[in-house]
Amino acid sequence: MSPSLPADTDTQRLCEAQTATFFTTQSIRGILQPRSLEEVQECMREANRSGTPVYPVSSGRNWGYGSRVPPADGCVLLDLSRINRIVELNERLGYVTVEPGVTQRQLFAFLKERGSGLWMDATGSSPDCSLIGNAVERGFGHTPYGDHFANVCGLQVVLPSGEIAGTGFAGMPQAKAAEVYRWGSGPSLDGLFSQSNLGIVMRMSIWLMPAPEYFQAWFFQSPEQKALGEFIDALRPLRMNGTLRSTVHIANDYKVLNGLQQFPEGETTPLMPETMKGYAAKLKFGRWNGSGALYGTRAQVAEARRMLRRALKGKVSKIQFLDDRTLALAARFSRPYRWATGLDLSKTLEIVRPVFGLMKGEPTTAMLGSAYWRKKTPAPADPNPDRDRCGLIWLAPVAPAEGASVSELVGIAESTLLAHGFEPLISLTMITERSVACVISIAYDREVQGEDERAMACYRATEAALAERGFYPYRLGIQSMNGGSALLRTLKRAVDPNNILAPGRYLQAKP
Amino acid sequence: MSPSLPADTDTQRLCEAQTATFFTTQSIRGILQPRSLEEVQECMREANRSGTPVYPVSSGRNWGYGSRVPPADGCVLLDLSRINRIVELNERLGYVTVEPGVTQRQLFAFLKERGSGLWMDATGSSPDCSLIGNAVERGFGHTPYGDHFANVCGLQVVLPSGEIAGTGFAGMPQAKAAEVYRWGSGPSLDGLFSQSNLGIVMRMSIWLMPAPEYFQAWFFQSPEQKALGEFIDALRPLRMNGTLRSTVHIANDYKVLNGLQQFPEGETTPLMPETMKGYAAKLKFGRWNGSGALYGTRAQVAEARRMLRRALKGKVSKIQFLDDRTLALAARFSRPYRWATGLDLSKTLEIVRPVFGLMKGEPTTAMLGSAYWRKKTPAPADPNPDRDRCGLIWLAPVAPAEGASVSELVGIAESTLLAHGFEPLISLTMITERSVACVISIAYDREVQGEDERAMACYRATEAALAERGFYPYRLGIQSMNGGSALLRTLKRAVDPNNILAPGRYLQAKP
């Protein structure tokens, strides 16, 4: 593209980059891998000169939403993974400043190596996903800092023109509070650069939580269909009064089975609820399966535990608490336990351990296997859903944290997916005090003739049925970025008159 | 301005509206008082047709920062105070949706009347200040919801063109989560409309906290200069680990005296630190005086109290806890107590009670009197600093929540104000887990010849000395809105090509 930074046009690599976990037709012209801020600026200037649009990705692991594939045809991919310095760690104020190539794995290792007293928040996706990429897409995790974009500050951005802008106090010289006070003075622009095509975030401070004195995870389940609404209504007050400081995750029966194994051999698709019940009974999970964690001093955790027990009493069939010590004990005794009882605790531990770790901000590869649900071969040691032609489409509508709304949303999703021949793999996250983000996975095998089309038809039908009832996604896949308000289009035209930065991303260009 | 909505051009009322708490020269052409969204839209369309700029105010009580006076000359004032419906209260999800004219007083009375289980957060300014006005200026209060703009959602905005835009899911039809999930999908635009001249916020949902089972306020003081840095460093970890969920306020000795009485008769200005010491000793307050509150169950509060005591041990000389019961007792026994000890508890209660109330979200008029510090006559029953020619300039720099930074900031502010002949009336608010907002008041009597100029010179010197060291304000007075990035100017030109909405507000128009 630019003489100093030639685009990679190797057919194999282009083909890989053009492959998502669902059917797409967009082609990529080349791949640029800049190594510095200045090179990114130069790429943007050259893009304006040549009129060739560029599509930035940080680590490119936007699986389920389009991976590295641009919404528009003919872009050059701007791969930022080589710009990957951890610029600053501030132990006292609890933040880290990173570049777009910094991954979850990298930060986790860095904190460990430094003996840091801070915990990161990890999303359940790949350990190799970018922190900036996930935060600007407004992804979420499992600790009190689970709403990622609510915990970032002081962005440095390359605008479509190639110029640099800072948000908040990061736009001021030598600002002492740039990493800790998000608003700055004047209009706050952080939000403009999330889920957007208005700029490339090149640097971001992410707040980190101090490791608590004591940590305890909790798990519950219920076999009852109606329990969902009841425990959402019971947990909301605890989220709102600050007792539950972190996100709460709830998986339906299908999602748990999806976490434990691939589609059961010998069953026909879709696996119907009646059949599902048998698996739940056999493998000892519920129709609904919740998890969360408590953070604080021993006394704080004890009081939160008391309140949680009281809130859930009579609404769930089982509630269990687990800390580092009990987890270690369970692992140690799983073999004799099995011998004595016949129950395989190690299987339970296999699914519990990564969830437990995530609640402490530990990235895991364990979740990636779930993309292989309908594949005929098991997930490999290095899962890559794009490469392995896993079919995966995510749809992530938001509901208010009220039993009736959440139940309505889940009801629509489950029935629509089943009607289209797909298992409703559903997780719910009480992401803020007042809202629940639902992630609906349509998982299939791209090798099966016609499945790409059937899966997308199912996605469209679900999306439409939910929108009809006022449930909209917190995040969009590249196949759904056809909205955008008149105001947004005005802003886009102003900052990117040539429409060369990620055209069509979260914003359909209209006249 | 428009035939259907004639502008008020009464000289007396224009003159009042042109008066702030410091010297300004901008004149106002007229005052419009629309009664509906549609009338506001019509005002904007007419403004574009006629080229006359409009300057919106909600309640106009932006005291210390410019009151109702526009930064640019020749605007028509758009007074939104008549658009004042409380549109919705959602008791379960904890939010209220309001229009710009809704005041703190109005919402507080509304919640009381409804027997609501929710608490609002109040700012210490006038009970008659607008909730939207304060939130979009990113004002703050005293409860866990103290960072106001962090607790709003789903804005409805009139753009300079007169068109309407919604932020987050409020831009989507029938969205169920518009009031509870702030980001929506696509770029998040809320921030664009705070401290800005890009749109007029006509509707906003504000999150309200559930009243806690138990509430306890705490107060501490220290006579030691060096204590400031020590207790900031001791309190930060408690803010960061979620034990202290609300803002913590710290006043220097001058600010406490300013709260208790007017400038002491017979003393010369400025009141020097040595003299100040005598008043502090006599009236029993410290060099530094802190307050905060604990919210939760009795057990949660007890544990927080234990941690707070431990953190502050040896760093402050006194720490006292106060709940509704002990406050009532103190009031009852203040007379016999005085008789027995000679100490006047009622004087202490006079200053404690409104602070105590603020920590429960109760608006108060008690703080307004402080603007009359240097006036020769006492504050009237209906204080109005504009009308009464109180001199008041606020400067509100932000520091990271670190002892060294906060001490440096306060040192610069105190010495600069004293050198210019003004008492350094300073309060510090640990507004977020990681940052401290400092409010420096330059209070004077506008009736005194030359004081307007001396006060503004003092303000400029302090502003410059702080910026030199990287401390920038969280909010600006109309006399300081000469910044704004190139990016902001691009956005402004795009949404307001005729520059008719609040020209110069937070953004100097440059070619």
Side-chain angles (χ1 to χ4, degrees), chain A residues 92-94 138 145 147 149-150 159 165 169 172-177 180-189 191-196 198 207-210 236 240-243 245 297 299-300 303 306-307 398-402 405 408 431-432 434-435 469-476 487-488 490-491 494-495 506, chain B residues 92-94 138 145 147 149-150 159 165 169 172-177 180-189 191-196 198 207-210 236 240-243 245 297 299-300 303 306-307 398-402 405 408 431-432 434-435 469-476 487-488 490-491 494-495 506:
Chain A
R92 273 175 315 162
L93 288 167
R138 302 202 293 256
Y145 289 39
D147 183 0
F149 198 70
L159 298 174
F169 290 135
M172 312 293 278
Q174 308 297 327
K176 282 209 169 65
V180 292
Y181 183 74
R182 69 164 24 209
W183 309 121
S185 61
S188 169
L189 303 181
L192 269 191
F193 301 108
S194 67
Q195 296 191 355
S196 117
L198 299 169
W207 296 328
L208 303 176
M209 71 176 280
R236 182 189 61 247
M240 283 179 61
N241 73 15
T243 299
R245 293 167 52 218
T297 62
Q300 285 172 334
E303 174 65 358
R306 181 186 72 80
M307 294 171 72
V398 181
E402 285 189 302
S405 280
E408 182 187 6
I431 184 173
T432 70
R434 293 166 174 76
S435 65
R469 298 295 303 156
F471 298 112
Y472 299 100
Y474 92 91
R475 180 178 184 174
L476 300 175
L487 171 59
L488 261 180
T490 302
L491 300 177
V495 301
Y506 281 99
Chain B
R92 274 176 313 161
L93 288 167
R138 303 203 291 256
Y145 289 37
D147 183 2
F149 198 68
L159 298 174
F169 290 136
M172 312 293 278
Q174 307 296 328
K176 282 209 168 66
V180 292
Y181 182 75
R182 71 164 22 209
W183 309 122
S185 61
S188 168
L189 303 180
L192 269 191
F193 301 108
S194 68
Q195 296 191 356
S196 118
L198 299 169
W207 296 328
L208 304 174
M209 71 177 279
R236 182 189 59 247
M240 282 178 62
N241 73 15
T243 299
R245 292 168 52 219
T297 61
Q300 284 172 334
E303 174 66 357
R306 182 187 71 81
M307 294 172 72
V398 180
E402 285 190 302
S405 280
E408 183 188 5
I431 183 174
T432 69
R434 292 164 174 78
S435 64
R469 298 295 303 155
F471 297 112
Y472 299 100
Y474 93 91
R475 179 177 184 175
L476 300 174
L487 171 59
L488 262 181
T490 302
L491 300 177
V495 300
Y506 281 99

Side-chain angles (χ1 to χ4, degrees), chain A residues 313-507:
Chain A
K313 197 173 177 184
K315 293 175 188 79
V316 302
S317 58
K318 247 192 233 180
I319 172 160
Q320 284 173 309
F321 293 87
L322 200 60
D323 63 11
D324 288 297
R325 202 176 130 267
T326 48
L327 185 65
L329 272 177
R332 200 167 143 200
F333 290 110
S334 71
R335 233 199 253 238
Y337 183 82
R338 189 181 183 180
W339 178 80
T341 65
L343 288 172
D344 187 358
L345 204 58
S346 67
K347 194 75 195 160
T348 309
L349 283 175
E350 199 180 296
I351 191 168
V352 160
R353 204 189 295 269
V355 175
F356 185 88
L358 275 173
M359 292 193 271
K360 300 172 73 177
E362 299 172 6
T364 173
T365 52
M367 307 299 168
L368 285 177
S370 65
Y372 291 74
W373 171 245
R374 288 260 195 113
K375 297 298 285 186
K376 300 288 177 284
T377 49
D382 63 329
N384 180 331
D386 293 337
R387 178 198 63 202
D388 297 335
R389 295 187 60 73
C390 300
L392 181 64
I393 313 179
W394 273 349
L395 174 57
V398 181
E402 285 189 302
S405 280
V406 172
S407 300
E408 182 187 6
L409 188 164
V410 171
I412 294 169
E414 291 193 336
S415 61
T416 315
L417 264 72
L418 282 171
H420 282 77
F422 297 95
E423 292 75 33
L425 313 172
I426 289 178
S427 73
L428 299 156
T429 301
M430 299 182 76
I431 184 173
T432 70
E433 287 84 346
R434 293 166 174 76
S435 65
V436 171
C438 173
V439 178
I440 305 162
S441 306
I442 303 174
Y444 61 102
D445 184 355
R446 296 196 65 197
E447 297 294 338
V448 175
Q449 184 71 29
E451 284 288 83
D452 265 337
E453 293 73 19
R454 281 189 291 272
M456 195 54 77
C458 173
Y459 170 85
R460 294 289 180 207
T462 315
E463 183 185 37
L466 290 169
E468 171 81 18
R469 298 295 303 156
F471 298 112
Y472 299 100
Y474 92 91
R475 180 178 184 174
L476 300 175
I478 53 165
Q479 77 280 20
S480 286
M481 294 171 173
N482 46 6
S485 63
L487 171 59
L488 261 180
R489 278 192 291 276
T490 302
L491 300 177
K492 175 67 173 173
R493 272 195 302 270
V495 301
D496 187 8
N498 300 324
N499 198 25
I500 49 88
L501 181 60
R505 186 153 184 87
Y506 281 99
L507 184 62

Side-chain angles (χ1 to χ4, degrees), chain B residues 10 30 35 104 137 184 200 230 260 290 316 372 390 452 495 507:
Chain B
D10 173 82
R35 293 189 175 272
Q104 300 203 100
E137 277 300 289
I200 305 171
E230 293 175 0
L260 287 169
V316 302
Y372 292 74
C390 300
D452 264 337
V495 300
L507 184 61

Side-chain angles (χ1 to χ4, degrees), chain A residues 58-353:
Chain A
S58 298
S59 71
R61 283 167 179 77
N62 197 22
W63 290 324
Y65 297 109
S67 309
R68 285 174 287 177
V69 180
D73 201 42
C75 292
V76 169
L77 202 68
L78 192 67
D79 175 348
L80 304 170
S81 60
R82 291 184 179 173
I83 304 177
N84 62 354
R85 282 177 306 169
I86 295 175
V87 179
E88 188 199 352
L89 171 68
N90 189 313
E91 193 71 25
R92 273 175 315 162
L93 288 167
Y95 67 82
V96 65
T97 305
V98 296
E99 295 182 331
V102 176
T103 64
Q104 300 203 99
R105 189 193 300 277
Q106 186 183 347
L107 177 59
F108 186 72
F110 178 83
L111 292 173
K112 202 148 199 179
E113 184 194 302
R114 295 281 194 104
S116 171
L118 301 170
W119 282 3
M120 60 180 278
D121 185 277
T123 188
S125 182
S126 170
D128 298 311
C129 91
S130 155
L131 294 164
I132 285 185
N134 188 264
V136 298
E137 278 300 290
R138 302 202 293 256
F140 53 84
H142 301 64
T143 74
Y145 289 39
D147 183 0
H148 290 171
F149 198 70
N151 289 286
V152 302
C153 194
L155 316 188
Q156 183 193 57
V157 178
V158 170
L159 298 174
S161 62
E163 281 154 51
I164 294 176
T167 68
F169 290 135
M172 312 293 278
Q174 308 297 327
K176 282 209 169 65
E179 295 84 7
V180 292
Y181 183 74
R182 69 164 24 209
W183 309 121
S185 61
S188 169
L189 303 181
D190 291 350
L192 269 191
F193 301 108
S194 67
Q195 296 191 355
S196 117
N197 60 7
L198 299 169
I200 305 172
V201 178
M202 295 301 296
R203 193 172 282 196
M204 176 183 269
S205 293
I206 301 175
W207 296 328
L208 303 176
M209 71 176 280
E213 185 185 303
Y214 182 56
F215 164 86
Q216 196 172 40
W218 49 274
F219 299 86
F220 69 79
Q221 51 175 264
S222 170
E224 304 282 347
Q225 169 67 17
K226 71 177 173 60
L228 174 63
E230 293 175 1
F231 63 70
I232 292 281
D233 284 330
L235 291 171
R236 182 189 61 247
L238 300 188
R239 279 294 268 146
M240 283 179 61
N241 73 15
T243 299
L244 293 181
R245 293 167 52 218
S246 65
T247 59
V248 175
H249 278 250
I250 297 141
N252 72 353
D253 41 9
Y254 285 96
K255 187 68 195 166
V256 176
L257 189 65
N258 173 226
L260 288 169
Q261 63 170 65
Q262 287 180 283
F263 184 89
E265 237 178 285
E267 301 284 0
T268 51
T269 60
L271 204 65
M272 294 305 284
E274 281 311 307
T275 320
M276 191 62 234
K277 270 187 192 163
Y279 283 96
K282 190 176 125 203
L283 296 168
K284 310 228 175 289
F285 54 82
R287 170 76 174 102
W288 308 108
N289 307 271
S291 63
L294 308 173
Y295 306 79
T297 62
R298 288 209 167 246
Q300 285 172 334
V301 169
E303 174 65 358
R305 195 167 54 230
R306 181 186 72 80
M307 294 171 72
L308 187 62
R309 276 190 202 281
R310 196 176 57 179
L312 290 179
K313 197 173 177 184
K315 293 175 188 79
V316 302
S317 58
K318 247 192 233 180
I319 172 160
Q320 284 173 309
F321 293 87
L322 200 60
D323 63 11
D324 288 297
R325 202 176 130 267
T326 48
L327 185 65
L329 272 177
R332 200 167 143 200
F333 290 110
S334 71
R335 233 199 253 238
Y337 183 82
R338 189 181 183 180
W339 178 80
T341 65
L343 288 172
D344 187 358
L345 204 58
S346 67
K347 194 75 195 160
T348 309
L349 283 175
E350 199 180 296
I351 191 168
V352 160
R353 204 189 295 269

Side-chain angles (χ1 to χ4, degrees), chain B residues 101-286:
Chain B
V102 176
T103 64
Q104 300 203 100
R105 189 193 300 278
Q106 185 183 348
L107 178 59
F108 186 72
F110 178 83
L111 292 174
K112 202 151 200 177
E113 184 193 301
R114 294 282 193 104
S116 172
L118 301 169
W119 282 3
M120 60 179 279
D121 185 278
T123 188
S125 182
S126 169
D128 298 311
C129 90
S130 155
L131 295 165
I132 284 185
N134 188 266
V136 297
E137 277 300 289
R138 303 203 291 256
F140 52 85
H142 300 65
T143 74
Y145 289 37
D147 183 2
H148 290 172
F149 198 68
N151 289 287
V152 302
C153 195
L155 316 188
Q156 181 193 58
V157 178
V158 169
L159 298 174
S161 62
E163 280 153 51
I164 293 175
T167 69
F169 290 136
M172 312 293 278
Q174 307 296 328
K176 282 209 168 66
E179 296 85 7
V180 292
Y181 182 75
R182 71 164 22 209
W183 309 122
S185 61
S188 168
L189 303 180
D190 291 351
L192 269 191
F193 301 108
S194 68
Q195 296 191 356
S196 118
N197 60 6
L198 299 169
I200 305 171
V201 178
M202 295 301 297
R203 193 173 281 196
M204 175 183 271
S205 293
I206 301 175
W207 296 328
L208 304 174
M209 71 177 279
E213 184 185 302
Y214 183 55
F215 165 85
Q216 196 172 41
W218 48 273
F219 299 86
F220 69 79
Q221 51 175 263
S222 170
E224 304 283 347
Q225 170 67 18
K226 71 177 172 64
L228 175 63
E230 293 175 0
F231 63 70
I232 293 281
D233 283 330
L235 292 172
R236 182 189 59 247
L238 299 188
R239 280 292 269 144
M240 282 178 62
N241 73 15
T243 299
L244 293 181
R245 292 168 52 219
S246 65
T247 60
V248 175
H249 278 249
I250 297 142
N252 72 353
D253 41 8
Y254 286 96
K255 188 67 196 169
V256 176
L257 190 64
N258 173 226
L260 287 169
Q261 62 170 66
Q262 287 180 283
F263 184 88
E265 239 177 284
E267 301 285 0
T268 51
T269 60
L271 202 65
M272 294 305 284
E274 281 311 307
T275 320
M276 190 63 234
K277 271 187 191 162
Y279 284 96
K282 192 175 123 203
L283 296 168
K284 311 228 173 293
F285 53 80

Side-chain angles (χ1 to χ4, degrees), chain B residues 39 80 93 100 125 163 168 193 204 219 238 275 310 323 394 407 410 424 468 470 480 488 499-500:
Chain B
E39 284 189 2
L80 303 171
L93 288 167
S125 182
E163 280 153 51
F193 301 108
M204 175 183 271
F219 299 86
L238 299 188
T275 320
R310 197 176 57 178
D323 63 12
W394 274 349
S407 300
V410 171
E468 172 80 17
S480 287
L488 262 181
N499 197 26
I500 47 90

